[in-house]
């Protein structure tokens, strides 16, 4: 499993490329992305593209609600490595999105440890 935070998804390379090198089966992208007209279509296309680049299922988790002048629309989704939409939460509604995913088994070490960081507990 790998994690990316918000803007990381919108940048070429970076954590998405590291996810592929590490052999992660799931990329979780935590977001606080505000609502924009038609951004839901843009998000889905970008998530499908990044899932394919990572070679992993991608779970895009977005904030819903308001903060000051910003409105967050939710619209969380899960995309398969081939870009297929697996499930999607509604916009503007607090929702628990549950999905039963078949993910590849995790390996003990990343496929390419260069440029990746593996954390272990307890630390050795």
């Amino acid at each position: 499993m790998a994690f990316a935070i918000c803007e990381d998804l919108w940048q070429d390379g970076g954590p998405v490329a590291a996810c592929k090198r590490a052999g992660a089966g799931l990329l979780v992208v935590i977001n606080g992305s505000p609502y924009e007209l038609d951004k839901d279509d843009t998000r889905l296309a970008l998530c499908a593209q990044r899932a394919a680049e990572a070679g992993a299922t991608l779970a895009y988790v977005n904030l819903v609600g308001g903060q000051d002048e910003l409105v967050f629309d939710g619209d969380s989704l899960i995309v398969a490595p081939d870009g297929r939409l697996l499930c999607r939460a509604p916009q503007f509604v607090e929702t628990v999105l549950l999905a039963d995913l078949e993910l590849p088994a995790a390996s003990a070490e990343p496929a390419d440890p260069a440029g990746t960081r593996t954390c272990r507990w307890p630390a050795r």
Side-chain angles (χ1 to χ4, degrees), residues 18-63:
C19 175
K20 182 169 184 91
R21 287 192 307 268
L26 178 65
L27 173 59
V28 179
V29 185
I30 303 166
N31 288 271
S33 185
Y35 171 78
E36 290 179 26
L37 185 63
D38 297 325
K39 191 172 187 178
D40 55 337
D41 296 331
T42 304
R43 279 184 192 142
L44 177 56
L46 180 64
C47 286
Q49 176 186 344
R50 296 298 189 228
E53 288 173 11
T57 298
L58 187 147
Y60 178 95
V61 183
N62 196 34
L63 185 65

Side-chain angles (χ1 to χ4, degrees), residues 11-121:
Q11 307 299 321
D12 290 331
V16 174
C19 175
K20 182 169 184 91
R21 287 192 307 268
L26 178 65
L27 173 59
V28 179
V29 185
I30 303 166
N31 288 271
S33 185
Y35 171 78
E36 290 179 26
L37 185 63
D38 297 325
K39 191 172 187 178
D40 55 337
D41 296 331
T42 304
R43 279 184 192 142
L44 177 56
L46 180 64
C47 286
Q49 176 186 344
R50 296 298 189 228
E53 288 173 11
T57 298
L58 187 147
Y60 178 95
V61 183
N62 196 34
L63 185 65
V64 64
Q67 180 182 5
D68 299 325
E69 71 278 356
L70 296 175
V71 176
F72 302 94
D73 62 330
D75 193 36
S76 297
L77 51 94
I78 301 175
V79 179
D82 65 4
R84 284 178 300 119
L85 178 64
L86 299 176
C87 57
R88 191 172 202 166
Q91 287 184 299
F92 306 107
V93 177
E94 290 183 17
T95 304
V96 175
L97 184 64
L98 297 175
D100 187 7
L101 303 172
E102 291 188 28
L103 301 173
S107 61
E109 293 296 325
D112 177 12
T116 62
R117 180 177 175 191
T118 302
C119 298
R120 294 179 178 85
W121 183 258

